[in-house]
Amino acid sequence: MIIEELHVKNFGKLQDTKVPFEKGLNLIYGANESGKTTLHTFLKCMLFGMRRSRGRGAAKDVYSRYEPWEYGHYYAGAMRFESGGKVFCLDRNFQKDNVRAELFCMTDGEKLSVKRGDLSMLLGNVSEIVYDNTVSIGQTKGVTDQDLALELRNYMANYQGTGDSDLDLNKTMQILKDQKKSFQGELKLKKANDDARKSEVASQTLYLNQEVHQLREKIQNERSQLVQLKEERESQEGEKSQEKLKKQVGRRKTFTIAAVGVVVFLAVAMALLPGLIRIGAVVAGTLLLWGCLLGRGKAQKKVSALKESQQEEMELLTRQMERVKGRLHNQEEELKEKKLNLEMLTQKLHEYNREIKSIHGKDPLEEEVEGIDMAMEVIGMIGQRLQNEVGSQIRSRTSEVLAELTRGKYHQVVIDSELQMGVSAQDRYIPVEQLSRGTMEQVYFALRMAVGDILCSQEVLPVVLDDVFVMYDEVRLMETLQWLIEHKQQVLLFTCHKREEQILNDYGLTYHRVGVFDS
C-alpha cells in the first residue's frame, strides 16, 4: 500500500488540510503542538475507524480528544491510496450521529464496502493491534504492548508450513471449546434432570415405605384388638357368667318353693289350728309368703337384668369386632395396593439408572466431551509445533534487522513467549533491560519491523513514525534512516527536530519533504 494523499476535512485542530505523500521516506517536520500527532491519529482512524468508549471513559477517548475545535458537527476526512496496482479513495464521517465509510476504486470505478471487509482485505487483514505494534510507532511507544504477544500467538497457532494462515487453528480450538461447553452444559442439565427424576422417585419410595410400615403397625394393632374382643366375648359366654345367671335363677326357685310351702302351711293352719293360734299362724304365714314373693320378684329382676346386660355386652362386642374386621380388611387392601405401588416405583428407579448409562457404561455426551478433549490435545500439539516454527522465523528476522542496524555488534536476539528479549554479544547473553536506552529502542524497533514483515506479509503497509528517535545518537539515527529507505517502500516520519533532515542531507539520502506544517 502507498498512501498518496490525506485530506483532513475536520479533525482536531486541522481543517481542510491536504497532505500529499510519495514512495520512499516522507519527512513531516513541525514544531510541537503543530498537529503532527493529530495527523498521525487521523491516518489510523481512516484505516481502522474510530471506536467510542462508554461511561466515564468516553470523556477521554480518541473521539473526544480529537473532536473538531471548530464546526463540531462536521467530523470527517478522506484518503487516497494505491494497492495492488489500483488507486482507491476512502471517505469517512466520524460524527457519532452519522458514522459512515465509503470506499471507491478510482481505477475501474467499482464501489466497495467497508462493512463487508473490502478495506480490511486491502490492508492484508492486519488488525489495529498489529498496526499499533509494528508499522505504526507513536511518541514514547518504542516498546511493544503485551497485546502484540497475543496477536503473535494467534498468528503462530494459525500458521502453516507454507506461511499461509487460511487454517485458523485458534478458531477451530474455540469452536471445539464452545462445543465442549455446550455438551458439558447438556450433560449437566441431563444429569440434573436424571437426579431430579431419581430423587423424586426415591422420595416417593421412601414416603411409601413409611406409609407401608405405619399401615402394618395399624393392622397389627387392629388384629390385637380383634383378638382382645374375641377373648372378651368368649369370657361373656364362659362359666363365670353362666354361674352368675344360674345363681340368680336358683335364688328365684328357692323363693318360689318357699312361697309354695307357706301356702301349704296356711292351708293346713286354716284347717287344723284353732282360734287365735290359727289367726297368728295365718298372719305369720301371710308375711312370710309376702317376703317369699318379694324375694322371688327381686331374683327374677336380677335374672332379667343379667340376661339383658350379657346380651347388650355381646352385641356391643360383636359390633366392635365387625368394625375392627372392616377396618382390618380395608387396611389389608390398602397395604396390597401400596406394596404394588412400591414395587412399581422400585422398578422405575432401576429403569432410570439403566437409562442414564450407555451400553459401554458411559453417557454418549461424555464420549463426545472425551472426543473433543482428544481433538483439542492434537490441535494444541500442532499449534505448539507451528508456534516454534514461526517463533524461530521472528527471532531470525529480528536478529537480521538488529545486526543491520548495529553493523553486526548485536547479531543474535533471544525472545520468549511473552516477547521478553535479550541479545547475544561476544558470546554473552545480555537482557534487554541492561542495555542502554538507545540500544534497547533499537532492539524493540527491530522486533517491530521483523514482526511487521511477518504479520503484514499479505499487504506491505507504510511505516509511520512519530518522534521515535529522540534517544538515538547521530550514528544510530543515520543507520536506521538508511535501513528504512533501503527496506521499506513508504515511510512517514513525523518529527519536531531538525537533525533528521540534516542527517538525510549530510549523507545524501533520498527523501520527500512534506511542508504541511512549515507555516
Side-chain angles (χ1 to χ4, degrees):
M1 168 186 280
I2 300 294
I3 299 175
E4 295 184 350
E5 183 182 74
L6 292 178
H7 181 192
V8 185
K9 298 179 180 179
N10 207 16
F11 192 94
K13 65 186 299 180
L14 302 178
Q15 291 88 36
D16 195 22
T17 302
K18 293 185 179 181
V19 186
F21 298 106
E22 297 181 4
K23 288 184 179 181
L25 180 68
N26 293 264
L27 181 66
I28 305 100
Y29 169 78
N32 287 328
E33 305 296 329
S34 61
K36 301 187 305 302
T37 300
T38 299
L39 185 62
H40 185 184
T41 305
F42 172 78
L43 171 58
K44 176 183 171 180
C45 292
M46 288 301 301
L47 293 174
F48 299 99
M50 185 185 296
R51 295 179 179 84
R52 294 220 61 193
S53 300
R54 294 183 178 181
R56 295 180 179 178
K60 297 181 180 180
D61 63 5
V62 173
Y63 185 94
S64 299
R65 289 205 309 271
Y66 291 96
E67 199 165 7
W69 292 11
E70 298 181 7
Y71 311 107
H73 62 282
Y74 183 49
Y75 199 176
M79 181 177 75
R80 188 175 74 248
F81 63 94
E82 181 270 328
S83 177
K86 296 182 179 181
V87 178
F88 298 87
C89 181
L90 174 64
D91 192 283
R92 283 188 184 273
N93 185 9
F94 303 108
Q95 184 62 38
K96 60 185 178 182
D97 297 328
N98 187 27
V99 177
R100 61 174 176 78
E102 296 179 354
L103 182 61
F104 179 73
C105 179
M106 301 175 67
T107 303
D108 56 21
E110 180 184 5
K111 185 176 181 180
L112 296 91
S113 172
V114 175
K115 287 185 178 180
R116 289 199 297 266
D118 291 339
L119 177 60
S120 179
M121 181 185 64
L122 292 175
L123 295 176
N125 296 311
V126 171
S127 69
E128 186 175 346
I129 291 174
V130 170
Y131 175 82
D132 276 338
N133 286 274
T134 55
V135 297
S136 175
I137 309 177
Q139 295 179 8
T140 69
K141 290 286 288 182
V143 177
T144 54
D145 291 335
Q146 288 301 315
D147 286 339
L148 181 59
L150 299 176
E151 287 286 340
L152 277 173
R153 280 196 290 272
N154 181 59
Y155 178 83
M156 292 174 184
N158 298 338
Y159 179 80
Q160 301 178 74
T162 59
D164 188 8
S165 59
D166 290 338
L167 176 60
D168 194 338
L169 295 184
N170 263 8
K171 185 176 181 180
T172 303
M173 185 71 82
Q174 187 60 48
I175 291 173
L176 290 176
K177 287 181 180 179
D178 292 342
Q179 288 179 344
K180 179 179 178 180
K181 185 177 180 180
S182 176
F183 283 133
Q184 287 177 329
E186 289 183 32
L187 188 61
K188 184 178 180 180
L189 181 60
K190 183 177 180 183
K191 186 177 184 302
N193 290 335
D194 290 339
D195 289 344
R197 290 162 64 194
K198 289 196 299 181
S199 177
E200 182 181 0
V201 175
S203 298
Q204 292 176 356
T205 303
L206 178 62
Y207 181 73
L208 199 54
N209 263 317
Q210 292 175 345
E211 286 190 326
V212 167
H213 178 72
Q214 293 173 356
L215 197 54
R216 282 174 174 167
E217 288 183 346
K218 287 182 180 180
I219 290 174
Q220 183 64 35
N221 291 335
E222 296 290 359
R223 286 176 176 171
S224 298
Q225 187 177 359
L226 186 61
V227 170
Q228 185 179 356
L229 291 173
K230 285 181 179 180
E231 290 176 352
E232 290 182 9
R233 190 172 70 174
E234 290 175 357
S235 176
Q236 289 294 334
E237 294 175 348
E239 294 180 358
K240 290 184 179 180
S241 297
Q242 294 303 317
E243 286 177 359
K244 287 182 181 180
L245 184 60
K246 286 180 180 179
K247 183 178 180 180
Q248 295 301 327
V249 172
R251 289 183 64 191
R252 188 186 62 183
K253 286 182 179 180
T254 300
F255 282 113
T256 301
I257 293 171
V260 172
V262 171
V263 171
V264 172
F265 170 76
L266 287 173
V268 172
M270 290 289 293
L272 298 179
L273 292 177
L276 293 171
I277 297 173
R278 183 177 60 195
I279 293 171
V282 170
V283 172
T286 301
L287 291 173
L288 183 60
L289 178 61
W290 182 81
C292 289
L293 293 175
L294 184 61
R296 183 182 182 281
K298 289 182 179 181
Q300 178 63 36
K301 287 181 179 180
K302 287 184 178 182
V303 169
S304 298
L306 187 58
K307 285 183 177 181
E308 186 177 350
S309 175
Q310 288 179 345
Q311 181 66 28
E312 288 177 355
E313 288 181 1
M314 291 293 290
E315 291 177 355
L316 178 62
L317 289 173
T318 300
R319 287 195 299 271
Q320 289 178 343
M321 288 176 65
E322 291 299 325
R323 285 197 295 270
V324 171
K325 285 180 180 180
R327 290 199 302 269
L328 187 59
H329 174 75
N330 293 336
Q331 289 169 358
E332 287 175 343
E333 291 297 321
E334 185 179 356
L335 181 62
K336 289 180 182 179
E337 183 179 353
K338 290 187 182 299
K339 283 182 176 180
L340 181 61
N341 291 337
L342 187 60
E343 290 177 1
M344 293 173 63
L345 286 174
T346 304
Q347 181 64 27
K348 193 174 184 180
L349 193 59
H350 291 324
E351 289 176 359
Y352 284 163
N353 288 330
R354 286 196 297 270
E355 284 179 8
I356 63 174
K357 294 295 182 182
S358 65
I359 297 175
H360 302 291
K362 288 184 179 179
D363 191 282
L365 290 174
E366 291 179 347
E367 295 179 349
E368 291 283 358
V369 171
E370 289 180 0
I372 290 175
D373 284 337
M374 292 177 62
M376 290 172 64
E377 183 178 355
V378 172
I379 290 176
M381 293 171 61
I382 295 173
Q384 185 61 48
R385 177 175 60 81
L386 298 179
Q387 285 187 31
N388 293 336
E389 293 179 8
V390 180
S392 177
Q393 289 188 21
I394 292 174
R395 288 190 296 271
S396 176
R397 181 56 184 153
T398 303
S399 298
E400 290 177 5
V401 175
L402 185 63
E404 293 173 359
L405 292 175
T406 62
R407 296 187 182 276
K409 182 178 180 181
Y410 300 106
H411 56 83
Q412 184 66 40
V413 176
V414 180
I415 309 173
D416 66 14
S417 60
E418 300 298 328
L419 295 188
Q420 299 299 315
M421 304 173 65
V423 297
S424 295
Q426 299 178 352
D427 299 325
R428 185 167 67 94
Y429 172 77
I430 305 174
V432 71
E433 294 83 3
Q434 296 180 13
L435 299 171
S436 67
R437 179 59 186 268
T439 304
M440 183 189 301
E441 292 200 4
Q442 278 187 306
V443 172
Y444 280 108
F445 181 82
L447 173 64
R448 282 175 171 270
M449 296 300 102
V451 175
D453 289 343
I454 294 174
L455 299 189
C456 305
S457 58
Q458 295 185 36
E459 180 68 26
V460 179
L461 299 179
V463 176
V464 186
L465 308 172
D466 188 359
D467 271 330
V468 298
F469 299 130
V470 177
M471 301 303 296
Y472 282 38
D473 56 32
E474 183 177 328
V475 174
R476 283 195 181 98
L477 181 55
M478 182 275 295
E479 291 171 344
T480 303
L481 292 175
Q482 186 175 5
W483 184 89
L484 286 168
I485 292 171
E486 293 175 355
H487 292 85
K488 298 300 176 181
Q489 65 178 5
Q490 187 178 42
V491 179
L492 309 183
L493 175 57
F494 295 84
T495 180
C496 63
H497 301 284
K498 295 286 188 178
R499 63 176 189 150
E500 282 88 353
E501 186 172 13
Q502 184 66 45
I503 289 174
L504 288 168
N505 291 330
D506 290 347
Y507 287 90
L509 301 177
T510 303
Y511 71 99
H512 167 65
R513 192 177 191 281
V514 180
V516 65
F517 299 116
D518 286 348
S519 58

